[in-house]
Amino acid sequence: MPLPKLPSKPATILATQDYPTAGAARPATKTPAAKKVAAPIIQAALAEVAKPVKNAATKIKQVAALMVAKPVLAPAPAPVVATPADAPAAVPAAKAKPAAKGKVTPIKSVKQAEQPHPAKHKAVEVQLKSSASRAADQRGISKLFVLDTNVLMHDPSSLFRFEEHDVYLPMMTLEELDNHKKGMTEVARNARQVSRTLDALISNTDDDAIEHGILLSKLGNKDAKGRLFFQTRLQSADLPAGLPVGKADNQILAVVRSLESEQEGRPVVLVSKDINMRIKARALGLPAEDYFNDHVLEDTDLLYSGIVQLPDDFWNKHGKDMESWQESKNGYSSTFYRVTGPFVPSMLVNQFIYLEPKDGETPFYGQVKQINGKTAVLQTLRDFSHTKNNVWGVTARNREQNFALNLLMNPECDFVTLLGQAGTGKTLLALAAGLAQVLETKLYNEIIVTRVTVPVGEDIGFLPGTEEEKMSPWMGAFDDNLEVLNKSDSDGGEWGRAATQDLIRSRIKIKSLNFMRGRTFVNKFLIIDEAQNLTPKQVKTLVTRAGPGTKILCLGNIAQIDTPYLTEGSSGLTYVVDRFKGWTHSGHVTLARGERSRLADHASEVL
């Protein structure tokens, strides 16, 4: 089930005394005469709102006074507040998007404003283009993007991601690339990759071609229709005296200002991943933007959840000429339905669907198995909430957990991703399904567990021992879940539990991500924990390790990213969820309800 939209704060909050007071007389119903009286006052208020102001609070009072200056027969319209683009925002930009100049924003009523805000808020990631970019988009002209070094080191293919626009590389950017190319880190590898790409672009070209720009489509990137320009001469521009001239960022800013003066009429935009660099550029009046092409989604609320609720009239619209039959697979008999209707094109293969009628009828839980135009084949699910269908003693406690176990226990599903906040049962379900299929059904040889070793706080230094001993402190979550799974086995007594625990330990291998390159896993049950801290490139490296008969699970919570250079939109987990949706042999479920404890659920809501 998709996570519900969380309420957001109003754009501007007024004190109680600043709201216009309503008259005591009961307002009459609207009549044409009342509309004629109210219209001039509303127009006057809107005209007052449209004027630019420096003090938003003063403007609020002026508009409120204008709205209640004369008695109106019709009900008074809701007070409005202008938020021009250059007016000071009342709340941080991450909470509310600034309104465009001249637009009006309705204010909440006094009763709503006095109520406390909900404890849980979702931080909205605002991604706005600079005013120069928006103006260029409206006029349909190409832009000149000046790239900072961190953009190239973050995404080596960023040169080819600007469509029909041109790209400009200052000489200082090349100097910084040269300084960062040494070493075995991801940044050093990216710097070397960019240098090789630039060498391939610049080869077999004369000096005139460099001066007039090199076609970015030269290497076969057909989407890149612009040109690449290098800084071929000294460009000087006057910067404020307080800025150190020798600093690389300030030299790039000087190049941007010089280009603006040289190429009048053409928008020049600085692209940088450095927040402080963009702030300095804006302070100097230079357009600057973040690099957004690495983001899979601009809004993570649009991320595929793997679950969709059917409309109440689904069977009325799709039940005509419906076919049904039963098949037995993997020792379980399930019912299939072939339906046709308008809702089918919005479905995806392996997506879970459910319909829970409000009149007490039996709910329907199913999975989409095939789609052909407006016709789909739906399969009923196995009920893992019943004790007879338990998985290593674990039963599903809610609808989403039941969906997840249907994916985990399906041998035809090779790749499974589970998203969810802390306490939703991702690790417990994955480990229980792995143990059941390794020790009971013998479908896989062993369980391999790995995760990114990113500390939450300060690093405690090097860890002693072998690879597994070094990884054991990072696997505390699996040890906790193994204790829960072992406690359910009370038939064999103390000795039996110890023997079972030794057997389980022998079938679980803990591996480090650092040594995955070049490996191939055959008939393994591979669990990648905390996958939200992986980059898309690291996820690709891991998923391509799968050999015949291997099942890979990616678990994570994109709200708990510890890697400093990743966001919810650019995480590797978001990347694979979006790219694998609709594939016949993969599935995804977003777990919505916490089942750890009432304390953990309350903490996740209020903290």
Side-chain angles (χ1 to χ4, degrees):
M1 177 177 173
L3 294 174
K5 289 280 185 180
L6 301 176
S8 59
K9 293 184 179 179
T12 307
I13 300 180
L14 301 179
T16 305
Q17 62 269 18
D18 290 334
Y19 282 84
T21 55
R26 183 179 178 181
T29 56
K30 281 190 177 181
T31 61
K35 291 181 181 178
K36 290 181 180 179
V37 176
I41 298 176
I42 297 173
Q43 292 176 359
L46 291 176
E48 184 68 25
V49 165
K51 295 179 182 179
V53 293
K54 294 183 178 179
N55 191 334
T58 305
K59 175 62 69 178
I60 292 167
K61 294 182 180 179
Q62 290 175 357
V63 175
L66 184 60
M67 295 298 292
V68 297
K70 296 180 182 181
V72 181
L73 295 177
V80 291
V81 174
T83 38
D86 54 352
V91 294
K95 295 295 182 183
K97 293 184 178 179
K101 194 168 185 177
K103 292 188 179 180
V104 293
T105 306
I107 297 296
K108 302 287 184 182
S109 64
V110 179
K111 185 175 180 181
Q112 289 172 319
E114 289 178 346
Q115 291 177 351
H117 292 301
K120 192 174 181 181
H121 296 287
K122 183 183 185 302
V124 180
E125 189 176 355
V126 181
Q127 299 177 356
L128 295 176
K129 292 183 178 180
S130 62
S131 57
S133 273
R134 293 198 300 269
D137 291 340
Q138 292 174 359
R139 292 161 54 192
I141 60 176
S142 65
K143 293 168 274 193
L144 180 63
F145 287 106
V146 181
L147 299 192
D148 194 5
T149 317
N150 47 46
V151 175
L152 297 171
M153 293 190 298
H154 178 77
D155 182 8
S157 62
S158 58
L159 286 170
F160 312 104
R161 302 293 182 90
F162 292 94
E163 298 177 344
E164 75 275 11
H165 308 290
D166 295 335
V167 175
Y168 188 94
L169 293 184
M171 201 56 65
M172 186 50 65
T173 297
L174 300 178
E175 286 284 342
E176 289 189 305
L177 275 177
D178 187 62
N179 294 336
H180 288 90
K181 70 180 182 181
K182 300 176 182 65
M184 297 297 295
T185 63
E186 187 78 15
V187 171
R189 281 193 291 268
N190 290 346
R192 291 193 294 269
Q193 179 63 41
V194 173
S195 299
R196 286 191 288 268
T197 303
L198 293 176
D199 180 59
L201 282 170
I202 208 171
S203 61
N204 299 326
T205 56
D206 52 14
D207 296 338
D208 292 338
I210 295 177
E211 183 70 26
H212 295 92
I214 302 170
L215 286 174
L216 287 169
S217 58
K218 178 181 176 182
L219 301 180
N221 298 277
K222 297 181 180 179
D223 294 333
K225 300 175 183 177
R227 291 177 176 269
L228 173 65
F229 292 90
F230 291 93
Q231 182 183 356
T232 56
R233 62 183 183 276
L234 180 64
Q235 291 173 318
S236 59
D238 295 331
L239 290 177
L243 289 177
V245 182
K247 191 172 175 60
D249 288 355
N250 297 335
Q251 293 188 33
I252 295 175
L253 291 174
V255 171
V256 176
R257 173 164 284 187
S258 177
L259 287 172
E260 269 198 333
S261 60
E262 288 179 6
Q263 305 196 18
E264 294 184 3
R266 187 181 190 190
V268 180
V269 181
L270 172 66
V271 181
S272 175
K273 297 292 292 181
D274 186 356
I275 297 176
N276 292 326
M277 177 78 158
R278 298 199 301 269
I279 293 174
K280 281 200 293 187
R282 293 291 180 90
L284 295 174
L286 303 174
E289 295 178 8
D290 192 3
Y291 177 70
F292 298 121
N293 265 301
D294 60 328
H295 289 208
V296 181
L297 295 171
E298 292 187 2
D299 187 0
T300 51
D301 287 335
L302 303 177
L303 184 63
Y304 175 62
S305 66
I307 306 169
V308 64
Q309 183 177 6
L310 299 178
D312 294 335
D313 58 350
F314 177 80
W315 294 113
N316 295 332
K317 291 184 177 181
H318 298 72
K320 186 178 179 181
D321 300 329
M322 181 180 67
E323 302 176 27
S324 64
W325 67 93
Q326 284 192 338
E327 290 183 11
S328 182
K329 285 187 177 182
N330 305 318
Y332 171 71
S333 178
S334 56
T335 306
F336 290 81
Y337 300 94
R338 181 177 282 110
V339 296
T340 304
F343 192 76
V344 171
S346 64
M347 297 179 180
L348 290 170
V349 175
N350 278 350
Q351 188 175 33
F352 290 99
I353 55 177
Y354 71 95
L355 179 60
E356 296 176 341
K358 299 178 181 178
D359 53 3
E361 294 183 5
T362 305
F364 172 76
Y365 301 108
Q367 188 178 18
V368 182
K369 301 306 290 184
Q370 293 178 16
I371 292 180
N372 186 9
K374 290 190 175 182
T375 302
V377 175
L378 312 179
Q379 179 185 4
T380 57
L381 301 179
R382 190 174 183 181
D383 184 15
F384 285 99
S385 61
H386 199 281
T387 311
K388 69 176 183 179
N389 293 327
N390 71 85
V391 179
W392 202 262
V394 174
T395 56
R397 292 191 179 183
N398 54 52
R399 177 179 59 229
E400 288 78 20
Q401 286 190 356
N402 188 33
F403 293 162
L405 284 174
N406 273 274
L407 284 178
L408 295 172
M409 298 302 293
N410 184 4
E412 297 180 359
C413 191
D414 300 333
F415 184 73
V416 178
T417 51
L418 296 182
L419 276 180
Q421 64 181 10
T424 49
K426 304 182 295 294
T427 308
L428 182 66
L429 295 177
L431 203 51
L435 292 174
Q437 294 175 92
V438 168
L439 296 176
E440 290 181 355
T441 61
K442 304 290 195 305
L443 194 60
Y444 306 101
N445 294 337
E446 61 183 5
I447 301 173
I448 295 179
V449 182
T450 185
R451 65 175 292 180
V452 189
T453 54
V454 179
V456 177
E458 291 292 330
D459 205 335
I460 60 174
F462 292 103
L463 297 171
T466 61
E467 179 188 357
E468 292 215 5
E469 290 172 343
K470 289 178 185 293
M471 290 294 296
S472 59
W474 301 98
M475 296 300 167
F478 283 90
D479 293 337
D480 298 339
N481 285 283
L482 277 177
E483 288 183 12
V484 174
L485 294 173
N486 287 338
K487 283 182 180 178
S488 60
D489 184 17
S490 57
D491 298 336
E494 210 53 52
W495 288 96
R497 277 199 300 272
T500 304
Q501 192 166 357
D502 290 341
L503 176 62
I504 290 174
R505 294 283 182 184
S506 67
R507 293 300 182 93
I508 298 179
K509 297 290 188 294
I510 301 172
K511 300 296 180 183
S512 173
L513 280 175
N514 302 342
F515 311 109
M516 288 293 185
R517 180 75 70 183
R519 297 198 61 180
T520 301
F521 298 115
V522 180
N523 291 332
K524 310 293 184 189
F525 193 87
L526 177 60
I527 302 176
I528 306 171
D529 197 21
E530 305 294 341
Q532 75 274 3
N533 290 323
L534 292 169
T535 65
K537 187 175 180 181
Q538 289 172 328
V539 168
K540 180 181 177 181
T541 302
L542 287 175
V543 177
T544 52
R545 300 304 98 209
T550 292
K551 190 188 191 83
I552 295 183
L553 277 64
C554 285
L555 320 176
N557 177 16
I558 57 175
Q560 292 183 346
I561 295 178
D562 301 317
T563 307
Y565 304 111
L566 289 179
T567 61
E568 293 182 3
S570 61
S571 168
L573 184 56
T574 309
Y575 181 72
V576 292
V577 169
D578 188 67
R579 293 301 174 94
F580 272 88
K581 64 182 180 184
W583 187 46
T584 311
H585 301 288
S586 72
H588 168 71
V589 173
T590 299
L591 302 172
R593 200 173 114 195
E595 298 290 350
R596 180 171 287 168
S597 68
R598 58 190 178 190
L599 172 59
D601 293 344
H602 185 65
S604 63
E605 290 177 4
V606 301
L607 297 180

